[in-house]
Every structure is written in C-alpha cells, then in structure tokens.
Amino acid sequence: MPRTGASSMFFHEYALDSIFRGVSASGLDTIEFWLETPSFWTTGQRINELIAEISRYPSLIPITIHAPVLDLNPVSINPDIARVSVDSACAAIETAEQLHAKVITIHPGRRTAKRPPSRADMHRFSIFMEAVEAVSRGLSVHVAIENMGPVVNALLATPDRVVDVLDEYPHLSFTFDYAHACVGGDTLPGEFIRLCSDRIVNVHASLGSPTQMHAPLGNTGKIDELAALLASFRYDGPVIFEIEDLSLPKKLQYSEKIALLREEAVSFRVAWDKQVYLSFQSSID
C-alpha cells in the first residue's frame, strides 16, 4: 500500500517541531517538506536543525522534499530570475540528498507572458534540465518533475508533453499532481496514468476544479478514482495530501488540521482496500 503523507505547507504558520508533530499525530507515514516552509526558509535554513527534527520522527522516514518555487521561474525571460531559479533548484536537490530524501519534486517553470510557451521558452527549459541532470548525477534521490495545471503559459500540463520530457531526460522521474490533472478534464488523470505510470515516484493528492484547487479529497468520489488509478499499476510510493488551507470554508486550528489529515488518510486507506478487494474478487471470478 502507498505511504500517505502531508505537505509541510499545510502547517505553514507553525514551528518545525509542531509541523512534524502534527503530521505524525495525523497517523500519516511520511511528510513532504517544502524548503520554503516559513519556519525553516525565513530563519536561516539551518539544515542541522531540520535533520534533528526528522530524526525525532523515524516513522516518517524517508521523507520527500519540494524544491523552492515561490517567486521563482527557471524559464523566465529575465535572465537574472532564471539563473537564480535554476541555482535554487539545483541547491535543493543537493539538500534533498543530504536529508536522505526519497524524492525531490521540482516545477518546470512557465512562460513569463500569459501566452503559449514559445521555442525560446523551451530552450530555457532545456538549459534548466541540463543543470538538473548535471547536479543529480550519481545521487540517490529521485528528481521528479511535476505536471502543472492547464493554464495558457504552462510548460507541462498534458500527458503528451510530460511523456516528451521524460523521454528526452531519462534521469527524470515524475510527480503526478492529481488536482492539476483533474482541472484539465475527467479523462486526463487516467491518460497521465496510461502514459506515465512507469515514471511516477510521487503523488500529490487533493481535489482540483476550475473554481477550487488543492481542496480535501476525503469522502468524495474522487478519492476512490485516485485509489483505483494508483492500484491499476500497483503504485507503492508516497501519496502526499497537498491541501491549501485557503481552500477550506474556515480557518482551522492546529488540532482541526490534524483531524482533517487523519480523515484524508482514513478515506484513502478505505478506498485503497476497496480496490484490493475488487482486484481479488476479479482474480477468482
């Protein structure tokens, strides 16, 4: 069964110890730590303190990492922004290796103008990918690029485009963001699985629609769909509940956030067990 986890950004307003304690108390198996989590990012990024915190929660190991993406764009038309963004992603990959993370997720960037990506944008993307390949060579951490939502200037929003990149850069793995895929239409999540399942090493689980992004999946039919898609190829990697607290009807207190994540975990495990049962029944019919 996949290991369930949560993004550290769901507890973005709390200190490191509270973040890890909250994820552990939710009954989850791992954590995806965003390096931009404020209590780490804005206080000196003290790696030793983060390592010490991780070591206090062995049940969450191995963790996954999310590279910095806020205010960054590795394919920006501004060369200074592009350079800083590429350097930041490469440094994050080295940090993930230092933390013995299983996976680090990176974003592909986006065209600066709200227009379809151009040849020049794809050239800058290739420069980014070459830098990622150079820094990740010989490391144990999986570097996984994430599919984006279907906005006009997105570089990787369709299964065909993701496949093209994975074929061109065989060192890359894939983080499948279910919410981003759902926004593209009902059939798109299944198409991602059909074309990219052999490269998926991480899954971001949340609800996505044209009017709402990264909302909870628990107790919706969508969590059954996600479980069925992942069970179809016997996925056993991390499933990270990437929930945006601003998508919720009200501001949650610390204990309420723990309760919500616990409900997400239970809902996913029920949905997964249902798929296992259906598969067993199918095998004996």
Side-chain angles (χ1 to χ4, degrees):
M1 178 177 175
R3 301 174 69 231
T4 55
S7 167
S8 61
M9 281 300 209
F10 189 55
F11 293 100
H12 66 91
E13 67 269 54
Y14 294 99
L16 282 184
D17 59 340
S18 295
I19 293 171
F20 280 84
R21 185 170 69 252
V23 172
S24 178
S26 303
L28 298 169
D29 307 309
T30 191
I31 184 172
E32 180 157 288
F33 191 80
W34 279 59
L35 295 179
E36 291 163 308
T37 301
S39 57
F40 175 76
W41 190 249
T42 65
T43 60
Q45 303 173 47
R46 293 185 284 269
I47 296 295
N48 288 340
E49 290 184 10
L50 180 55
I51 291 173
E53 202 59 52
I54 294 169
S55 69
R56 294 188 184 101
Y57 295 91
S59 65
L60 301 180
I61 298 172
I63 69 168
T64 66
I65 294 291
H66 201 297
V69 296
L70 306 177
D71 295 329
L72 298 174
N73 182 11
V75 298
S76 172
I77 196 172
N78 184 318
D80 294 330
I81 291 175
R83 183 176 61 255
V84 168
S85 301
V86 171
D87 289 348
S88 180
C90 290
I93 292 168
E94 293 176 328
T95 297
E97 180 77 3
Q98 187 178 352
L99 296 171
H100 304 292
K102 183 78 171 177
V103 177
I104 178 168
T105 293
I106 61 174
H107 282 193
R110 61 204 174 277
R111 181 172 179 177
T112 302
K114 288 185 169 58
R115 297 172 180 269
S118 67
R119 183 176 299 178
D121 297 309
M122 299 316 299
H123 174 67
R124 286 188 286 272
F125 177 72
S126 69
I127 293 172
F128 175 38
M129 289 295 94
E130 288 163 10
V132 166
E133 181 174 8
V135 76
S136 59
R137 192 175 294 123
L139 302 184
S140 61
V141 65
H142 292 284
V143 180
I145 199 156
E146 179 181 343
N147 60 298
M148 298 289 100
V151 296
V152 66
N153 57 339
L155 267 66
L156 297 185
T158 66
D160 288 343
R161 188 68 195 102
V162 171
V163 167
D164 288 344
V165 170
L166 294 176
D167 286 346
E168 186 171 358
Y169 302 100
H171 66 283
L172 270 183
S173 297
F174 179 39
T175 288
F176 173 52
D177 190 296
Y178 178 68
H180 290 167
C182 284
V183 178
D186 292 340
T187 64
L188 209 60
E191 192 68 3
F192 270 110
I193 297 303
R194 186 179 72 82
L195 294 177
C196 308
S197 62
D198 61 326
R199 304 287 285 276
I200 296 175
V201 296
N202 192 26
V203 173
H204 288 167
S206 63
L207 194 63
S209 73
T211 59
Q212 192 177 38
M213 183 59 71
H214 298 311
L217 270 175
N219 300 318
T220 73
K222 288 294 188 180
I223 203 161
D224 293 307
E225 179 187 69
L226 177 60
L229 289 172
L230 300 182
S232 71
F233 68 102
R234 295 181 174 85
Y235 178 72
D236 63 355
V239 173
I240 305 297
F241 300 117
E242 190 181 59
I243 298 170
E244 168 59 69
D245 58 2
L246 293 178
S247 72
L248 304 173
K250 66 169 187 172
K251 179 178 174 63
L252 297 186
Q253 300 302 313
Y254 183 71
S255 61
E256 293 174 310
K257 288 192 170 187
I258 292 172
L260 187 151
L261 289 178
R262 186 180 295 120
E263 183 176 0
E264 293 290 285
V266 169
S267 294
F268 180 80
R269 288 164 186 159
V270 169
W272 182 268
D273 288 345
K274 177 181 177 182
Q275 294 305 315
V276 172
Y277 174 76
L278 291 175
S279 178
F280 173 74
Q281 287 294 105
S282 175
S283 68
I284 63 175
D285 285 344

